[in-house]
Amino acid sequence: MAGSIPPRPDRRVHRTRRALGQALVELTLRKGYEAVSIRDLTERADVGYATFFRHYPDKDALLRSLLEETLAELLELVLPVAHDPAHAATRLFEHVHSRPDLYRVLLSLPPSHPLVRRIFAVGVENILRVSPPRPGAAVPADLAAQHLMASVLRPLKWWLEQGRPYPPARMGEILSALVIEPARRLAFGL
């Protein structure tokens, strides 16, 4: 029917997925990702074992779903203010501050994990999209974007490991001064 409003997702589906996602984060922090089983997840989330498979084919799909949701939220926050590195960095740290356990899980995965590679690739792609390369720059833009992504992930991990000793705004200033501004000057002429 033209002009009709699409049906809203069932609230039970949303609750089940949220419970499974929370269970994955909690159990991963406690046991490590590889040690978490589907049975562990369903027991922790208080959902039926078969219910899990109506939503996800495996735990990697659940983690991938959490990642995609988190990336979408993060890009929605950061991209509109990408022209202001300190503000964008502050929004990044605010987002991490709002979901520290999820970020602890994501940042604990090995660099070779497909989800970490996905985070990295999306970050590089968006850096290049919002900061066009400067012709004749001292550093190729692609290399600068990859350096920038790698250099952003380590302070995030440090901040979480240290118990978030500085507020997000201060960490945004630090990240901007330490990493973002130098990379932008060298490769993007900003």
Side-chain angles (χ1 to χ4, degrees):
M1 177 184 324
S4 67
I5 298 173
R8 289 181 32 190
D10 186 331
R11 287 183 183 158
R12 292 172 297 176
V13 169
H14 181 70
R15 274 194 303 268
T16 298
R17 289 182 176 194
R18 187 175 57 227
L20 287 167
Q22 185 63 35
L24 179 64
V25 168
E26 291 170 4
L27 290 168
T28 298
L29 289 174
R30 197 175 83 213
K31 298 171 65 166
Y33 181 74
E34 294 304 321
V36 176
S37 70
I38 303 296
R39 181 74 59 201
D40 294 334
L41 290 169
T42 58
E43 287 175 6
R44 179 70 170 203
D46 196 26
V47 300
Y49 187 76
T51 300
F52 178 91
F53 294 101
R54 283 196 283 273
H55 296 274
Y56 304 102
D58 54 32
K59 74 176 181 180
D60 287 340
L62 170 57
L63 184 58
R64 194 170 33 259
S65 174
L66 285 172
L67 170 70
E68 293 298 333
E69 175 186 308
T70 302
L71 278 175
E73 290 172 5
L74 188 56
L75 292 173
E76 189 175 305
L77 288 171
V78 172
L79 289 181
V81 295
H83 62 280
D84 180 352
H87 191 188
T90 296
R91 283 191 167 185
L92 168 65
F93 279 95
E94 287 170 348
H95 195 259
V96 172
H97 184 71
S98 73
R99 301 180 81 179
D101 290 342
L102 175 59
Y103 278 95
R104 280 187 187 96
V105 168
L106 293 175
L107 293 169
S108 72
L109 298 171
S112 61
H113 193 284
L115 293 177
V116 175
R117 289 197 322 257
R118 170 94 172 107
I119 292 169
F120 199 84
V122 167
V124 167
E125 175 186 311
N126 281 288
I127 289 167
L128 293 170
R129 186 163 47 99
V130 299
S131 300
R134 183 185 77 205
V139 176
D142 183 57
L143 177 57
Q146 290 191 34
H147 167 72
L148 187 55
M149 271 307 297
S151 299
V152 164
L153 295 177
R154 185 62 199 141
L156 285 175
K157 189 172 184 175
W158 175 87
W159 188 60
L160 289 170
E161 289 171 349
Q162 299 302 313
R164 297 176 281 174
Y166 302 105
R170 178 66 183 125
M171 286 305 297
E173 293 168 356
I174 291 169
L175 185 65
S176 180
L178 187 65
V179 177
I180 299 172
E181 286 298 336
R184 288 179 59 158
R185 278 192 306 276
L186 283 172
F188 306 108
L190 302 171

